[in-house]
Amino acid sequence: MKTLFLIDANALIHRAYHALPPFTSPKGEPTGALYGLASLLLTLLRDNPPDYIAAAFDRPEKTFRDEIFEEYKAQRPAAPNELISQLKEAHNLMPKFGIQTFEKAGFEADDI
């Protein structure tokens, strides 16, 4: 039987961001979430190599969930700039692991 891994990239990056210290690159750029994401991917691919793998990302636009329920995420604080920059860079990291990425305006990663 073939194995397919579908990754909610935003969920993993958020998890790594909050779990690790605020690492920085030699240039002073935040890298903790990227380090955590790379570490998770290395472990995943080493321990359970899939036949197929893809990652989905959230988009910044409002989603259909916002249209259904205006209060959706109303109490959630805005993401810090240190996390946003790493979310953007994670799009460049995934292909280095051979992972195709997907995103669609109006949908979150876990909807894709």
Side-chain angles (χ1 to χ4, degrees), residues 6 12 25 47 49 59 66 69 94-95 98 101 106:
L6 298 175
L12 287 183
S25 73
D47 294 350
R59 298 266 316 155
D66 296 296
F69 183 58
M94 291 295 183
T101 62

Side-chain angles (χ1 to χ4, degrees), residues 34-52:
L34 291 170
Y35 172 83
L37 175 62
S39 179
L40 286 167
L41 292 174
L42 286 169
T43 300
L44 176 73
L45 295 170
R46 181 193 67 223
D47 294 350
N48 302 292
D51 296 294
Y52 310 99

Side-chain angles (χ1 to χ4, degrees), residues 7-70:
I7 298 169
D8 181 337
N10 283 69
L12 287 183
I13 295 164
H14 276 85
R15 176 181 168 190
Y17 177 79
H18 293 288
L20 296 172
F23 299 142
T24 57
S25 73
K27 296 179 184 176
E29 300 160 326
T31 59
L34 291 170
Y35 172 83
L37 175 62
S39 179
L40 286 167
L41 292 174
L42 286 169
T43 300
L44 176 73
L45 295 170
R46 181 193 67 223
D47 294 350
N48 302 292
D51 296 294
Y52 310 99
I53 188 166
F57 281 90
D58 292 350
R59 298 266 316 155
E61 300 90 1
K62 290 190 178 235
T63 70
F64 71 91
R65 294 176 192 209
D66 296 296
E67 293 175 20
I68 294 170
F69 183 58
E70 287 183 31

